[in-house]
Amino acid sequence: MAKSIFHTKTKEDYLEAVRQLSELTGDSLGKSNHKTYGEETCIFATQTTLLYGDYPYAVSYYGKEPQLFKVGMKIVKAPTSDSEEYFIAVGQDKEAALRKLEELEAKVAELKAELTKPVEPLYQVVLPNPNSTALFVIKKDEDGNIIIQRITHSKKNSENTFLTEEEIKKDFEWAWQFAERVK
């Protein structure tokens, strides 16, 4: 009785599965067998024998779903002897690997574009207060509004006190004279 069943949808998938299983079992199958069942072709494998048939037969007779095999995957011996399978297919098929590669390349392109954007300089405006140690700055509040606020010295270099020239000049043109570039 077959212990491992591989579903191959294309001739290329079939030929690669047969090649790998032949190396593992010492048996072989004809190269043209895929024509009989087309994309329904399944390969049935024991430790020493290979047979082929169709997908509906595999499900009805053996009562289990065949493993999908695609070019790019590797068939290996099952890791334990008490496994329900003699052999298992591992890895990704080429189409899935190519899709993943395309996704990664798009992400890299996006990151490169982000890195090549000109960085807008940031400024900090600390308003002069010669008769007190209190610090008054122009900063961004939690809602994104630009405001003047008294802060402690420990908060002086917080990110919300770093603003663009446009943000400062929008409502506080007069304070631009006190701006110092920080980034």
Side-chain angles (χ1 to χ4, degrees), residues 48-173:
T48 58
T49 310
L50 297 178
L51 300 168
Y52 76 99
D54 68 355
Y55 187 89
Y57 175 76
V59 173
S60 66
Y61 187 78
Y62 291 101
K64 65 180 179 180
E65 195 78 18
Q67 300 175 60
L68 179 63
F69 177 86
K70 289 188 156 274
V71 170
M73 299 175 88
K74 181 159 179 60
I75 298 174
V76 296
K77 288 184 179 180
T80 60
S81 60
D82 60 338
S83 171
E84 290 186 21
E85 302 288 339
Y86 284 131
F87 306 106
I88 55 174
V90 294
Q92 290 183 323
D93 63 78
K94 281 186 179 179
E95 292 168 6
L98 286 173
R99 277 193 306 276
K100 187 67 174 171
L101 181 60
E102 287 171 359
E103 289 171 16
L104 291 172
E105 286 173 342
K107 186 68 175 168
V108 166
E110 187 180 302
L111 290 171
K112 280 183 179 178
E114 189 68 31
L115 290 173
T116 58
K117 277 185 187 175
V119 178
E120 193 169 1
L122 297 176
Y123 301 88
Q124 184 178 54
V125 178
V126 178
L127 299 174
N129 191 5
N131 299 320
S132 173
T133 58
L135 284 178
F136 287 89
V137 296
I138 296 178
K139 64 173 254 182
K140 194 178 291 186
D141 70 8
E142 303 83 33
D143 298 324
N145 299 315
I146 307 301
I147 61 169
I148 296 176
Q149 187 172 34
R150 181 180 177 170
I151 62 168
T152 63
H153 285 273
S154 64
K155 301 272 186 182
K156 181 180 180 203
N157 290 321
S158 61
E159 288 290 319
N160 62 355
T161 66
F162 302 159
L163 306 170
T164 65
E165 180 177 352
E166 183 182 330
E167 289 173 320
I168 295 166
K169 288 185 172 181
K170 181 179 176 204
D171 293 320
F172 299 99
E173 175 83 35

